[in-house]
Amino acid sequence: MVRENRTTSNELPELQNDVNEIAEYLELHVGPVSDGQKRILQDLIQRYGTAAVTLTIVSELSQLDMVTALLNQSRETLKKRKR
C-alpha cells in the first residue's frame, strides 16, 4: 500500500504548530516528547487530523487518571486494613 503525502507546502507550518502544541500538552502531563515521537504525531495528524489525535490523547490520559485514582484509593484502603 502506497501512502499518500497530502500535505502541501502551505500546510507545513500549520502542521508543525499542531505537532508542537500536542507535544507541549503531553510534556505537561506525562513527560518529555522525543523527536521520534513528534514524527509519529505528525504522521498521525496527517492521517487522521488534529482534532481526532488530540481527542484520542485526552481520552486516553483521562482513563489513565481514573486508573491511577483507583489504584491510589486501593492503596489507602489496604493501609487502613493493615492498621
Short mmCIF file of all heavy atoms in Angstrom, two decimals, residues 36-65:
data_model
loop_
_atom_site.label_atom_id
_atom_site.label_comp_id
_atom_site.label_asym_id
_atom_site.label_seq_id
_atom_site.Cartn_x
_atom_site.Cartn_y
_atom_site.Cartn_z
N GLY A 36 11.47 11.54 17.65
CA GLY A 36 10.82 10.39 17.03
C GLY A 36 9.32 10.36 17.33
O GLY A 36 8.51 10.05 16.46
N GLN A 37 8.97 10.67 18.56
CA GLN A 37 7.56 10.73 18.93
C GLN A 37 6.84 11.86 18.22
O GLN A 37 5.68 11.73 17.84
CB GLN A 37 7.42 10.86 20.45
CG GLN A 37 7.86 9.60 21.17
CD GLN A 37 8.06 9.80 22.64
OE1 GLN A 37 8.48 10.87 23.09
NE2 GLN A 37 7.75 8.78 23.42
N LYS A 38 7.53 12.98 18.01
CA LYS A 38 6.94 14.09 17.26
C LYS A 38 6.70 13.70 15.80
O LYS A 38 5.70 14.09 15.21
CB LYS A 38 7.84 15.33 17.32
CG LYS A 38 7.79 16.02 18.67
CD LYS A 38 8.65 17.26 18.68
CE LYS A 38 8.62 17.92 20.04
NZ LYS A 38 9.47 19.13 20.09
N ARG A 39 7.61 12.89 15.22
CA ARG A 39 7.39 12.43 13.85
C ARG A 39 6.18 11.51 13.78
O ARG A 39 5.40 11.57 12.83
CB ARG A 39 8.64 11.71 13.33
CG ARG A 39 9.75 12.67 12.93
CD ARG A 39 10.87 11.99 12.19
NE ARG A 39 11.57 10.99 12.99
CZ ARG A 39 12.60 11.26 13.80
NH1 ARG A 39 13.05 12.50 13.91
NH2 ARG A 39 13.19 10.30 14.48
N ILE A 40 5.99 10.69 14.80
CA ILE A 40 4.80 9.83 14.85
C ILE A 40 3.55 10.68 14.98
O ILE A 40 2.55 10.43 14.30
CB ILE A 40 4.91 8.81 16.01
CG1 ILE A 40 6.02 7.81 15.71
CG2 ILE A 40 3.58 8.10 16.24
CD1 ILE A 40 6.38 6.91 16.88
N LEU A 41 3.60 11.70 15.83
CA LEU A 41 2.46 12.62 15.96
C LEU A 41 2.15 13.28 14.62
O LEU A 41 0.99 13.40 14.23
CB LEU A 41 2.77 13.71 16.99
CG LEU A 41 2.51 13.39 18.45
CD1 LEU A 41 3.02 14.52 19.32
CD2 LEU A 41 1.04 13.14 18.69
N GLN A 42 3.18 13.70 13.92
CA GLN A 42 2.99 14.36 12.63
C GLN A 42 2.30 13.40 11.65
O GLN A 42 1.37 13.79 10.95
CB GLN A 42 4.33 14.82 12.07
CG GLN A 42 4.22 15.56 10.76
CD GLN A 42 5.54 16.15 10.32
OE1 GLN A 42 6.45 16.33 11.13
NE2 GLN A 42 5.67 16.45 9.06
N ASP A 43 2.75 12.16 11.62
CA ASP A 43 2.14 11.16 10.74
C ASP A 43 0.68 10.93 11.11
O ASP A 43 -0.19 10.88 10.24
CB ASP A 43 2.93 9.85 10.82
CG ASP A 43 2.40 8.81 9.87
OD1 ASP A 43 2.16 9.14 8.70
OD2 ASP A 43 2.24 7.65 10.31
N LEU A 44 0.40 10.82 12.40
CA LEU A 44 -0.98 10.60 12.85
C LEU A 44 -1.88 11.79 12.50
O LEU A 44 -3.02 11.62 12.07
CB LEU A 44 -1.02 10.35 14.36
CG LEU A 44 -0.42 9.01 14.83
CD1 LEU A 44 -0.32 8.99 16.34
CD2 LEU A 44 -1.24 7.85 14.30
N ILE A 45 -1.36 12.99 12.68
CA ILE A 45 -2.14 14.20 12.36
C ILE A 45 -2.43 14.25 10.86
O ILE A 45 -3.54 14.59 10.45
CB ILE A 45 -1.40 15.47 12.83
CG1 ILE A 45 -1.41 15.53 14.36
CG2 ILE A 45 -2.03 16.73 12.24
CD1 ILE A 45 -0.51 16.60 14.94
N GLN A 46 -1.44 13.90 10.05
CA GLN A 46 -1.66 13.89 8.61
C GLN A 46 -2.72 12.87 8.21
O GLN A 46 -3.52 13.11 7.32
CB GLN A 46 -0.36 13.60 7.87
CG GLN A 46 0.59 14.78 7.85
CD GLN A 46 1.90 14.42 7.18
OE1 GLN A 46 2.48 13.37 7.42
NE2 GLN A 46 2.37 15.33 6.34
N ARG A 47 -2.72 11.72 8.87
CA ARG A 47 -3.66 10.66 8.51
C ARG A 47 -5.06 10.91 9.05
O ARG A 47 -6.05 10.69 8.35
CB ARG A 47 -3.19 9.32 9.06
CG ARG A 47 -2.08 8.71 8.30
CD ARG A 47 -1.79 7.35 8.81
NE ARG A 47 -0.60 6.83 8.14
CZ ARG A 47 -0.11 5.66 8.34
NH1 ARG A 47 -0.67 4.85 9.21
NH2 ARG A 47 0.96 5.27 7.69
N TYR A 48 -5.16 11.32 10.32
CA TYR A 48 -6.46 11.36 10.98
C TYR A 48 -6.96 12.76 11.32
O TYR A 48 -8.12 12.92 11.70
CB TYR A 48 -6.42 10.51 12.26
CG TYR A 48 -6.00 9.09 11.98
CD1 TYR A 48 -4.75 8.63 12.37
CD2 TYR A 48 -6.84 8.22 11.29
CE1 TYR A 48 -4.36 7.32 12.11
CE2 TYR A 48 -6.46 6.92 11.03
CZ TYR A 48 -5.21 6.48 11.44
OH TYR A 48 -4.84 5.19 11.15
N GLY A 49 -6.09 13.75 11.28
CA GLY A 49 -6.49 15.11 11.61
C GLY A 49 -6.13 15.47 13.04
O GLY A 49 -6.05 14.61 13.92
N THR A 50 -5.94 16.75 13.25
CA THR A 50 -5.52 17.24 14.57
C THR A 50 -6.56 16.97 15.64
O THR A 50 -6.23 16.54 16.74
CB THR A 50 -5.24 18.76 14.49
OG1 THR A 50 -4.28 18.99 13.47
CG2 THR A 50 -4.72 19.29 15.81
N ALA A 51 -7.83 17.20 15.32
CA ALA A 51 -8.89 17.00 16.32
C ALA A 51 -8.96 15.55 16.77
O ALA A 51 -9.06 15.28 17.97
CB ALA A 51 -10.23 17.45 15.75
N ALA A 52 -8.91 14.62 15.85
CA ALA A 52 -9.00 13.20 16.20
C ALA A 52 -7.82 12.76 17.08
O ALA A 52 -8.00 12.04 18.06
CB ALA A 52 -9.07 12.34 14.94
N VAL A 53 -6.62 13.20 16.73
CA VAL A 53 -5.43 12.84 17.51
C VAL A 53 -5.52 13.45 18.91
O VAL A 53 -5.27 12.78 19.91
CB VAL A 53 -4.15 13.30 16.78
CG1 VAL A 53 -2.92 13.10 17.66
CG2 VAL A 53 -3.99 12.54 15.47
N THR A 54 -5.89 14.71 18.98
CA THR A 54 -6.00 15.39 20.28
C THR A 54 -7.05 14.73 21.16
O THR A 54 -6.81 14.46 22.35
CB THR A 54 -6.33 16.88 20.09
OG1 THR A 54 -5.32 17.47 19.25
CG2 THR A 54 -6.37 17.61 21.41
N LEU A 55 -8.22 14.46 20.60
CA LEU A 55 -9.28 13.82 21.38
C LEU A 55 -8.88 12.45 21.88
O LEU A 55 -9.18 12.07 23.01
CB LEU A 55 -10.57 13.72 20.56
CG LEU A 55 -11.30 15.03 20.34
CD1 LEU A 55 -12.44 14.85 19.34
CD2 LEU A 55 -11.83 15.58 21.65
N THR A 56 -8.18 11.69 21.06
CA THR A 56 -7.73 10.36 21.46
C THR A 56 -6.74 10.45 22.61
O THR A 56 -6.84 9.72 23.60
CB THR A 56 -7.10 9.61 20.27
OG1 THR A 56 -8.08 9.50 19.23
CG2 THR A 56 -6.64 8.23 20.67
N ILE A 57 -5.80 11.37 22.52
CA ILE A 57 -4.80 11.54 23.58
C ILE A 57 -5.46 11.97 24.88
O ILE A 57 -5.18 11.42 25.95
CB ILE A 57 -3.70 12.54 23.15
CG1 ILE A 57 -2.85 11.91 22.05
CG2 ILE A 57 -2.86 12.97 24.34
CD1 ILE A 57 -1.87 12.85 21.40
N VAL A 58 -6.34 12.95 24.81
CA VAL A 58 -7.03 13.44 26.01
C VAL A 58 -7.87 12.33 26.63
O VAL A 58 -7.87 12.14 27.86
CB VAL A 58 -7.89 14.68 25.68
CG1 VAL A 58 -8.79 15.04 26.84
CG2 VAL A 58 -7.00 15.86 25.32
N SER A 59 -8.55 11.56 25.81
CA SER A 59 -9.38 10.46 26.31
C SER A 59 -8.52 9.41 27.01
O SER A 59 -8.86 8.94 28.10
CB SER A 59 -10.14 9.83 25.14
OG SER A 59 -10.80 8.67 25.56
N GLU A 60 -7.42 9.04 26.39
CA GLU A 60 -6.54 8.03 26.99
C GLU A 60 -5.92 8.52 28.30
O GLU A 60 -5.81 7.77 29.26
CB GLU A 60 -5.44 7.62 26.00
CG GLU A 60 -5.96 6.89 24.78
CD GLU A 60 -6.64 5.57 25.10
OE1 GLU A 60 -6.18 4.85 26.00
OE2 GLU A 60 -7.65 5.27 24.43
N LEU A 61 -5.51 9.79 28.33
CA LEU A 61 -4.95 10.33 29.57
C LEU A 61 -6.00 10.39 30.67
O LEU A 61 -5.71 10.18 31.85
CB LEU A 61 -4.34 11.71 29.33
CG LEU A 61 -3.02 11.72 28.55
CD1 LEU A 61 -2.58 13.14 28.27
CD2 LEU A 61 -1.95 10.96 29.31
N SER A 62 -7.24 10.68 30.30
CA SER A 62 -8.33 10.71 31.26
C SER A 62 -8.54 9.32 31.87
O SER A 62 -8.71 9.18 33.08
CB SER A 62 -9.61 11.19 30.59
OG SER A 62 -10.70 11.06 31.46
N GLN A 63 -8.50 8.31 31.03
CA GLN A 63 -8.65 6.94 31.53
C GLN A 63 -7.49 6.57 32.43
O GLN A 63 -7.68 5.92 33.46
CB GLN A 63 -8.77 5.96 30.37
CG GLN A 63 -10.08 6.08 29.63
CD GLN A 63 -10.16 5.13 28.45
OE1 GLN A 63 -9.35 4.23 28.29
NE2 GLN A 63 -11.16 5.34 27.61
N LEU A 64 -6.29 7.01 32.07
CA LEU A 64 -5.13 6.75 32.91
C LEU A 64 -5.28 7.42 34.27
O LEU A 64 -4.95 6.83 35.30
CB LEU A 64 -3.86 7.24 32.21
CG LEU A 64 -2.54 7.07 32.96
CD1 LEU A 64 -2.27 5.59 33.22
CD2 LEU A 64 -1.41 7.70 32.19
N ASP A 65 -5.80 8.65 34.28
CA ASP A 65 -6.03 9.35 35.54
C ASP A 65 -7.03 8.59 36.42
O ASP A 65 -6.86 8.50 37.63
CB ASP A 65 -6.56 10.77 35.29
CG ASP A 65 -5.49 11.71 34.78
OD1 ASP A 65 -4.29 11.38 34.89
OD2 ASP A 65 -5.85 12.78 34.26
#
